[in-house]
């Protein structure tokens, strides 16, 4: 149906994969908590664009190319792991600065405000393109449910369903994250702790990606 093989199994897998924490959702939540709903959706738009790129590459046969070329897949995964590590180090350095200056009122008021140089859309786009969960999903899982008799419709159907699930999930995180912003403004220690946890998780994602295999 609609160029898809075993749609119920795909939907079940999609729900589990979407709900599984990853760098995409964590970054969107972080932006929403620090900068509000509008910036949260700006970051989410970067995620959706990145996922669309991965879907398109999968449909174009890049997934099969990565599966058959260990060197190319290694380049992609280590580049992604390096970028996630760089983000993690930045978060941990920021958290350390928060801990050191948590008693300073001026720093406390500035804590939840992201740097003017941060570009949520661009950063979320890059995070999405190197997201280990998304890479493995579109390379190893997504393509298995496309019917050979109608592949174009199949890819479109699966892609629309994936994006719809992502919109619902990220919207919930954005509005939840915006409520955390008030708490971060009041409690410097909470903000520093959350940033430290986010940095540690991104390091975990980098390790996971570096160990990934197709």
């Amino acid at each position: 149906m609609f160029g898809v093989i075993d749609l119920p199994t795909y939907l079940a897998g999609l729900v589990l994969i979407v709900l599984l924490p990853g760098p995409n959702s964590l970054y969107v939540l972080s932006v929403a908590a620090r900068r509000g709903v509008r910036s949260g959706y700006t970051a989410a738009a970067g995620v959706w664009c990145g996922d669309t790129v991965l879907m398109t590459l999968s449909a174009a046969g890049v997934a099969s190319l990565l599966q058959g070329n260990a060197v190319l897949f290694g380049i992609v995964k280590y580049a992604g792991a390096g970028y996630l590590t760089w983000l993690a180090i930045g978060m941990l350095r920021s958290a350390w600065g928060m801990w050191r200056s948590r008693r300073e009122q001026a720093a406390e008021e500035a804590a939840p405000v992201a740097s003017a140089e941060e570009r949520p859309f661009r950063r979320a786009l890059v995070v999405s393109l190197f997201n280990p969960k998304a890479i493995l999903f579109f390379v190893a899982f997504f393509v298995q449910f496309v019917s050979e008799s109608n592949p174009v419709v199949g890819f479109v159907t699966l892609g629309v369903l994936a994006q719809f699930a992502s919109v619902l999930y990220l919207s919930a995180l954005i509005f939840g994250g915006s409520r955390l912003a008030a708490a971060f403004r009041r409690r410097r220690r909470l903000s520093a702790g959350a940033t430290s946890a986010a940095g540690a998780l991104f390091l975990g994602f980098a390790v996971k990606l570096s160990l990934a295999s197709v």
Side-chain angles (χ1 to χ4, degrees):
M1 182 175 64
F2 302 112
V4 177
I5 301 172
D6 198 0
L7 182 59
T9 301
Y10 172 76
L11 292 176
L14 176 62
V15 170
L16 292 175
I17 290 171
V18 168
L19 294 178
L20 184 68
N24 286 0
S25 55
L26 181 62
Y27 181 68
V28 170
L29 177 61
S30 172
V31 170
R34 290 181 288 112
R35 303 184 64 173
V37 172
R38 183 173 180 178
S39 293
Y41 271 108
T42 299
V47 171
W48 297 326
C49 287
D51 286 348
T52 299
V53 171
L54 292 177
M55 293 177 200
T56 303
L57 292 175
S58 179
V62 175
S64 298
L65 180 61
L66 288 175
Q67 287 179 315
N69 192 320
V71 174
L72 181 59
F73 182 75
I75 292 173
V76 171
K77 75 174 184 178
Y78 287 121
Y83 182 73
L84 293 177
T85 300
W86 178 74
L87 288 180
I89 292 173
M91 290 179 177
L92 293 174
R93 289 179 62 186
S94 177
W96 175 246
M98 292 178 190
W99 285 113
R100 293 183 61 184
S101 61
R102 62 182 182 275
R103 291 195 176 103
E104 299 178 11
Q105 182 66 27
E108 182 175 351
E109 293 177 354
V113 180
S115 170
E117 297 180 356
E118 182 179 10
R119 295 177 174 82
F121 177 86
R122 186 174 69 180
R123 179 164 291 186
L125 175 63
V126 177
V127 168
S128 179
L129 291 175
F130 289 114
N131 176 12
K133 184 178 72 171
I135 291 174
L136 294 177
F137 173 70
F138 291 115
V139 170
F141 182 80
F142 185 79
V143 294
Q144 296 181 23
F145 297 89
V146 178
S147 172
E148 294 181 0
S149 62
N150 202 347
V152 175
V153 175
F155 273 110
V156 172
T157 301
L158 295 177
V160 169
L161 291 173
Q163 293 288 44
F164 179 71
S166 179
V167 168
L168 293 180
Y169 181 57
L170 292 183
S171 293
L173 291 182
I174 287 168
F175 285 101
S178 65
R179 293 192 176 189
L180 292 176
F184 285 167
R185 291 188 182 96
R186 293 192 302 267
R187 300 182 181 181
R188 180 72 169 176
R189 186 171 296 179
L190 176 62
S191 180
T195 304
S196 299
L201 284 174
F202 266 76
L203 278 178
F205 295 139
V207 172
K208 181 179 179 181
L209 178 56
S210 67
L211 298 176
S213 61
V214 179

